[in-house]
Amino acid sequence: GEEKAGGLITSEPLEDNLFIGCEDGGNVGPYRTPFNFEGVIDEVRLYFGPVGPGEVAEHFRDPRRVELERAELVLRFSFDDGKATDLSKHGNHGTVEWAKAVKGRVGLAMSFKVTPFERRGTAVALDGRDPHTGRVVKTIFVPCLISPKHHFRCYRSKATERFILLPKRGVEFLDLENGLHMRHDWLRGACSYGVMPANGLLYIPPHQCFCYPGVKLAGFLALSHKATEEGALRLSLLERGPAYGRVEREEASFEDWPMYRHDPERSGRSPSKVPSSLSRLWETRLGGELTPPVEACGRVYIARADAHTVYCLSARSGKVLWEYTAGGRVDSPPTFYRGLLLFGSADGWVYCLRARDGKLVWRFRGAPAERRVVAFGEVESAWPIHGSVLPLGGVVYFAAGRSTFLDGGIFLYGLDPWSGRVLYRRRVEGPWPDVLREEGRPFDMEGGKADILVTDRERRHLYMSQLAFDLKLRPVEAPRITPLGARKMGLHLIATGGFLQRVWWDRTYWMYARRWPGYYFAYNSPKAGQILVFDEKATYCLKVFTDRPKGGLSPFYRPGRGCLLIADSNDNEPYLEPRAVGWEKGPGYSRREPPLWEVKIPLRAKAMVLAGDRLFLCGPPDEVPPSDPLLHIEERDGALLWVVSAKDGRKLAEYRLDTVPVFDGMIAAGGRLYISTRDGRVICLGRA
């Protein structure tokens, strides 16, 4: 028969295998997975070229006819041998699963008649027995409780009086009383031990799993049932300060660095030309855990996270001009905007100060309720806000919360920076699966977790992990283009472990690309590494995990063998070879084009800046002294500062520092470098 397609499934070429009769949960179009055909398929033929309806009818009348005049036969399965043997000249043999051979019109055919959970093993069935007789007195059956593929986790199930906690992908709750079953693929226990239900809480220890990047939570967590009722989630709150309506506008200059990583695209690039010949101009010790700095209008702004304090320093002398203490941690630098200084805090509020003297203009509670939790040894909101907010088009954007699956979700706002008035808001929660009908996916899922917001090169969309929004905070579809979770997006900076992940890990990375990368490695990819910067034409990245021995599950870092500093054209997009598309822990992304240049450097750069035509890299040496092999791994002997030509990777200068920068803690402004260090100092370098 004939049926007209409802539309194009995707404009992207599918980087995947061809499935006939069913698909493996890797759908890329707007249909619900799983999709499976029920019936009999006698023969499959694919042609390259035009095939008219008359030819189709003639072939149906005479199945022995194969060739066509204007189309080439590229694939043919007759199934007569009970297998998917390609009888064309191309030899693209397949495999037959979830079907059985039956008598067909000509020879054998394949019969498909299976339900999705039978086909994929997603169902859970449990018999409850009388302990005295062994007789089955209750049966619980949940068709789609566990997500398909992969093995059960390498830790045991746990149980409470009401629930059995299964360890397939994360934690699956099998409710023995009320039928409120649920899977939580966004959680993961540690190998061998798993999770622990106790004290009315579920304890989740740290893990080393890369599944569900952009959604799965990390760290040591204690989770409870829903602690805040829906009725307690109230509208936001605005408080005016003494400087409200009393701000003289100041414009950041061309050479300033007014926000996290310089601009809304988070490029890490400044047009300011910093000389290769550098001297230490001043140093200020603030102590504690410092964020990267920002600079505008002759002032340097920086936060000390553990003291909940934002400092303003003189860019000329380093003298502290003022300080302001918020109600919680400020985990990333504040943002300068036309005479205002804006930042979020872990207390769930966004603060707006007058930039020249630190007086409060307004503060806005983005958290939907005043509920506190313990985090990092301190008390903070259940909906913390990252310090670095995003100004774009006269609106300041931020997100309050941790995960779309916790505490009612993540609350996004767009405020007027002068008044604090709400212009746009969006709540993103779940989505919670229907475990009676909806299968999960093995390595990626819907949902997201909070991160510093970033925009794309066209400044049309906002991105937070794998989620995309327009400038009115309306969700923007990011269509899945591979079975392991790559999603089509605008060209923007991505951090698969989050921008504030300070400890490098072999399976997470930064990437500048037109896609959310999904569940793939990137050690061979262009425009990807542990840290990177970019301009209009090229991306410069540092790769640390560059070696993957045969049979290794992850790429390795081998101390003392150097790191790769690579420049790529921005048009050189990451590429998945056909064999890599559905291969978990496979080769991952590779490159179609060679790099612009590539050099190996004996430096683990923790901070990197592009200033004019020079790259500045700062971090511990990649050396292994025989007398103290962990000296530089533990960052106990200072750092190197390299100046490198952005044109060809040639080293122009090298300096020794007695301290190590915080991650991503170097900026370039007004012809100078400003570095925040792990021992609580701010250092200014420039021409003497």
Side-chain angles (χ1 to χ4, degrees):
E2 294 184 9
E3 185 173 349
K4 186 176 181 180
L8 189 65
I9 290 179
T10 176
S11 59
E12 291 285 305
L14 294 187
E15 299 171 329
D16 200 359
N17 296 315
L18 173 65
F19 291 87
I20 299 172
C22 63
E23 55 83 35
D24 77 336
N27 62 303
V28 296
Y31 62 90
R32 195 175 80 178
T33 182
F35 173 82
N36 60 295
F37 168 80
E38 292 196 19
V40 176
I41 298 178
D42 202 327
E43 186 164 339
V44 172
R45 300 176 192 171
L46 291 181
Y47 292 90
F48 181 73
V51 181
E55 291 175 301
V56 173
E58 188 174 343
H59 276 241
F60 186 78
R61 287 191 297 269
D62 183 7
R64 292 168 296 182
R65 179 179 176 181
V66 174
E67 301 300 327
L68 294 175
E69 293 183 3
R70 297 183 297 163
E72 177 191 357
L73 181 68
V74 295
L75 180 73
R76 181 191 175 199
F77 296 150
S78 71
F79 304 119
D80 289 344
D81 59 355
K83 302 177 182 179
T85 302
D86 184 9
L87 301 179
S88 77
K89 65 181 181 181
H90 298 284
N92 291 311
H93 307 303
T95 58
V96 177
E97 299 180 19
W98 315 305
K100 63 179 181 179
V102 297
K103 184 178 180 181
R105 185 180 176 196
V106 177
L108 296 180
M110 286 295 151
S111 174
F112 295 82
K113 190 175 182 181
V114 290
T115 61
F117 52 82
E118 288 174 339
R119 171 168 63 85
R120 300 171 54 75
T122 63
V124 171
L126 184 69
D127 289 335
R129 297 178 181 271
D130 185 306
H132 299 288
T133 66
R135 184 171 59 90
V136 175
V137 295
K138 184 177 183 179
T139 297
I140 299 175
F141 179 74
V142 188
C144 300
L145 182 61
I146 59 178
S147 294
K149 289 193 170 183
H150 207 263
H151 54 72
F152 273 77
R153 311 254 54 93
C154 50
Y155 49 84
R156 294 183 177 183
S157 301
K158 302 290 171 64
T160 68
E161 291 184 356
R162 176 178 170 182
F163 296 101
I164 292 178
L165 281 61
L166 301 174
K168 176 56 163 65
R169 300 300 292 154
V171 184
E172 293 84 9
F173 278 68
L174 190 68
D175 189 347
L176 304 180
E177 296 179 3
N178 299 327
L180 299 178
H181 316 291
M182 184 52 62
R183 66 171 178 264
H184 301 278
D185 290 347
W186 50 280
L187 297 173
R188 186 75 78 253
C191 284
S192 299
Y193 185 81
V195 302
M196 180 176 69
N199 306 319
L201 302 173
L202 181 65
Y203 295 93
I204 310 289
H207 60 81
Q208 64 277 17
C209 187
F210 180 51
C211 301
Y212 307 104
V215 185
K216 181 174 51 59
L217 294 183
F220 198 167
L221 309 170
L223 306 179
S224 73
H225 66 286
K226 195 170 185 179
T228 305
E229 295 301 323
E230 192 70 24
L233 300 179
R234 303 185 182 278
L235 294 178
S236 48
L237 180 66
L238 176 67
E239 295 180 358
R240 298 179 179 182
Y244 190 88
R246 299 179 179 180
V247 179
E248 296 178 2
R249 301 197 179 199
E250 298 179 277
E251 298 294 342
S253 76
F254 179 69
E255 292 202 344
D256 284 338
W257 189 291
M259 67 186 75
Y260 171 69
R261 292 187 61 82
H262 183 270
D263 47 61
E265 297 97 302
R266 314 303 193 188
S267 71
R269 173 248 185 169
S270 170
S272 179
K273 294 185 178 181
V274 179
S276 298
S277 179
L278 297 170
S279 299
R280 186 171 301 200
L281 302 182
W282 56 259
E283 173 186 310
T284 300
R285 184 177 293 275
L286 299 175
E289 179 187 341
L290 298 183
T291 69
V294 297
E295 187 276 344
C297 299
R299 297 182 290 269
V300 175
Y301 302 97
I302 192 169
R304 178 176 166 180
D306 58 325
H308 310 177
T309 301
V310 172
Y311 294 89
C312 173
L313 313 180
S314 166
R316 178 178 294 275
S317 66
K319 178 184 177 182
V320 176
L321 302 178
W322 57 259
E323 60 185 72
Y324 184 93
T325 300
R329 292 172 61 88
V330 182
D331 63 10
S332 44
T335 298
F336 178 90
Y337 178 78
R338 306 182 71 179
L340 303 173
L341 194 73
L342 302 117
F343 60 92
S345 171
D347 64 355
W349 292 74
V350 167
Y351 294 79
C352 177
L353 310 181
R354 192 162 57 194
R356 63 179 173 84
D357 60 7
K359 299 297 182 182
L360 181 67
V361 179
W362 53 260
R363 71 173 190 150
F364 175 88
R365 195 188 75 190
E370 285 289 351
R371 185 166 73 83
R372 294 290 186 258
V373 298
V374 176
F376 308 106
E378 300 181 12
V379 176
E380 65 179 44
S381 172
W383 301 272
I385 300 173
H386 288 303
S388 296
V389 299
L390 178 68
L392 187 62
V395 181
V396 58
Y397 297 95
F398 61 90
R402 287 182 170 83
S403 165
T404 60
F405 294 100
L406 285 177
D407 303 305
I410 297 175
F411 297 79
L412 291 103
Y413 288 93
L415 306 184
D416 173 71
W418 299 102
S419 66
R421 180 171 59 92
V422 175
L423 301 176
Y424 312 108
R425 61 160 54 95
R426 173 69 55 181
R427 177 180 176 182
V428 187
E429 185 178 14
W432 298 100
D434 180 350
V435 296
L436 300 181
R437 298 177 179 85
E438 298 174 1
E439 287 189 349
R441 300 174 62 85
F443 298 103
D444 92 289
M445 62 183 294
E446 303 301 325
K449 57 185 178 182
D451 199 1
I452 292 177
L453 300 179
V454 60
T455 189
D456 48 35
R457 184 164 64 177
E458 293 77 20
R459 299 192 176 186
R460 294 176 52 198
H461 297 128
L462 305 174
Y463 299 93
M464 181 180 68
S465 65
Q466 66 176 17
L467 303 177
F469 306 89
D470 68 13
L471 300 188
K472 293 185 178 181
L473 295 181
R474 295 173 296 202
V476 173
E477 182 184 7
R480 186 182 288 109
I481 55 176
T482 74
L484 298 186
R487 297 166 185 258
K488 184 179 179 181
M489 292 180 166
L491 181 61
H492 73 290
L493 180 63
I494 297 156
T496 58
F499 286 111
L500 300 183
Q501 178 184 311
R502 297 177 174 87
V503 178
W504 288 342
W505 188 42
D506 54 18
R507 294 185 181 182
T508 57
Y509 47 85
W510 287 19
M511 178 181 280
Y512 186 55
R514 299 181 184 276
R515 63 170 66 194
W516 171 260
Y519 181 77
Y520 299 97
F521 293 135
Y523 59 98
N524 286 323
S525 171
K527 302 191 300 179
Q530 274 55 60
I531 190 170
L532 61 80
V533 296
F534 57 89
D535 59 19
E536 294 86 355
K537 295 182 179 180
T539 298
Y540 308 87
C541 62
L542 183 81
K543 289 183 180 290
V544 175
F545 302 99
T546 58
D547 184 19
R548 189 176 181 186
K550 186 176 181 180
L553 294 180
S554 300
F556 284 11
Y557 161 62
R558 298 186 184 275
R561 297 191 181 183
C563 304
L564 291 179
L565 180 62
I566 301 176
D568 278 299
S569 166
N570 285 341
D571 294 328
N572 192 4
E573 281 292 291
Y575 169 66
L576 287 172
E577 296 179 354
R579 69 187 182 101
V581 172
W583 187 353
E584 57 167 289
K585 302 186 188 73
Y589 289 103
S590 57
R591 56 174 64 246
R592 282 188 167 121
E593 301 293 335
L596 301 175
W597 53 259
E598 174 182 320
V599 295
K600 181 171 283 190
I601 62 173
L603 172 64
R604 277 194 349 268
K606 292 300 185 75
M608 184 176 180
V609 165
L610 175 61
D613 58 357
R614 295 180 175 93
L615 288 165
F616 294 84
L617 302 101
C618 189
D622 186 41
E623 300 172 354
V624 184
S627 60
D628 190 355
L630 297 181
L631 178 67
H632 298 304
I633 295 293
E634 296 177 346
E635 302 180 358
R636 291 185 276 109
D637 192 38
L640 297 177
L641 173 64
W642 274 34
V643 187
V644 173
S645 168
K647 181 179 180 180
D648 54 18
R650 179 171 47 92
K651 184 172 76 169
L652 304 177
E654 177 183 324
Y655 301 91
R656 184 85 186 188
L657 300 181
D658 62 349
T659 184
V660 177
V662 301
F663 178 66
D664 203 19
M666 179 169 58
I667 68 171
R672 296 178 173 186
L673 295 179
Y674 299 91
I675 304 172
S676 51
T677 69
R678 288 188 57 191
D679 60 359
R681 287 183 277 170
V682 183
I683 298 173
C684 176
L685 303 175
R687 193 185 302 277

